Amino acid sequence: APNALAALRELGVVDAVLAHAAQWRSPTAAEVRRIDGRVIRRFAGDPAALASKDGLLRMIMRPALHGALLDVVRDAVQVNREAVRVDIKVDRARVIFRDDTFADADIVVGADGFQSAIRAHLHPDEPAARSSGYYALRGASRNLAALNDLQAIWYFGRGVECGVVQAGASTIYWFLSLLVEDEQRAGAVDAASILRRWQPRFDAQFRAITEGSELRLDELFVRDPIRDWGRGPVTLLGDAAHP
């Protein structure tokens, strides 16, 4: 998004990130289809709401984005230290880890997901996250030729929504949004089994795109909005703030 590009540019890493992104100039070639391949709508216009100031649309896989950022700050990153709480002073904060070690900081950003320990400390009486009723089956495919000059496809069917988009020079990102109740009734609930159940219902293009993909399956969770995301020098980001 344009605001993300502006932030990356200010940090001096925009070129490193864009080296891994798919970039194309409007108009964008995209289709909305039924899962059997029947086209509901075809787009070839200028999606101005998505384009940056230079008229380019950009997509990147999250591991590629993380990798480009990690290359810049690698020596500053520490892993395998689980945060369990944060102690807030007037203008400082101390993060306490599972092994009873700690780190003092001017600013603490709790970007630790929907089961955030930082959020739990800021809002100790909040109910647990609850299921949204949806699974997300997500995949990364290297079969770029299968897009056939399209940049994106959206599929809709009973009990399923699907998106396919070019997200790198040689990568397609795709997802299936599925009802938990339906999938649990249908059989095994693992990524490969769910894809095998759904592939035959889709058109040949989707089957070609998804064949041999790297897969990830997640049940999606939600929380009610909270009054505030932070206090003093501590704040939340991402799913920790608004899953």
Side-chain angles (χ1 to χ4, degrees), residues 172-235:
I172 300 170
Y173 167 79
W174 60 266
F175 72 86
L176 295 178
S177 182
L178 304 159
L179 294 166
V180 169
E181 189 176 334
D182 287 355
E183 295 309 307
Q184 290 179 346
R185 280 200 305 262
V189 182
D190 62 86
S193 297
I194 290 175
L195 182 58
R196 281 195 299 269
R197 279 201 296 271
W198 279 99
Q199 271 182 324
R201 311 182 205 184
F202 276 80
D203 63 9
Q205 187 170 12
F206 177 83
R207 295 197 299 272
I209 289 169
T210 56
E211 191 64 35
S213 293
E214 301 171 28
L215 301 176
R216 172 176 176 149
L217 178 68
D218 296 280
E219 185 174 357
L220 304 183
F221 289 81
V222 295
R223 292 185 184 274
D224 293 328
I226 49 178
R227 182 185 66 257
D228 56 71
W229 291 354
R231 188 162 70 246
V234 179
T235 191

Side-chain angles (χ1 to χ4, degrees), residues 81-86 95-97 108-122 223 234-241:
R81 299 180 71 192
E82 182 186 353
V84 293
R85 74 176 196 276
V86 59
V95 180
I96 290 83
F97 300 100
V108 172
V109 180
D112 47 342
F114 80 92
Q115 292 181 323
S116 167
I118 306 301
R119 179 180 176 129
H121 188 76
L122 293 174
R223 292 185 184 274
V234 179
T235 191
L236 302 174
L237 181 71
D239 281 349

Side-chain angles (χ1 to χ4, degrees), residues 4 16 26-27 42 46 53 56 60 65 68 74 83 90 120-121 131 135 139 141 146 149 165 184 206 219 227 240:
S26 303
R42 184 174 289 111
D46 181 5
K53 289 181 180 179
L56 290 174
I60 188 170
L65 172 62
R74 187 176 300 275
V90 175
H121 188 76
S131 174
Y135 284 129
S141 167
D149 297 323
V165 66
Q184 290 179 346
F206 177 83
E219 185 174 357
R227 182 185 66 257

Side-chain angles (χ1 to χ4, degrees), residues 65-88:
L65 172 62
H66 288 174
L69 297 176
L70 183 61
D71 285 342
V72 180
V73 297
R74 187 176 300 275
D75 293 340
V77 175
Q78 298 180 39
V79 297
N80 299 324
R81 299 180 71 192
E82 182 186 353
V84 293
R85 74 176 196 276
V86 59
D87 291 340
I88 302 172

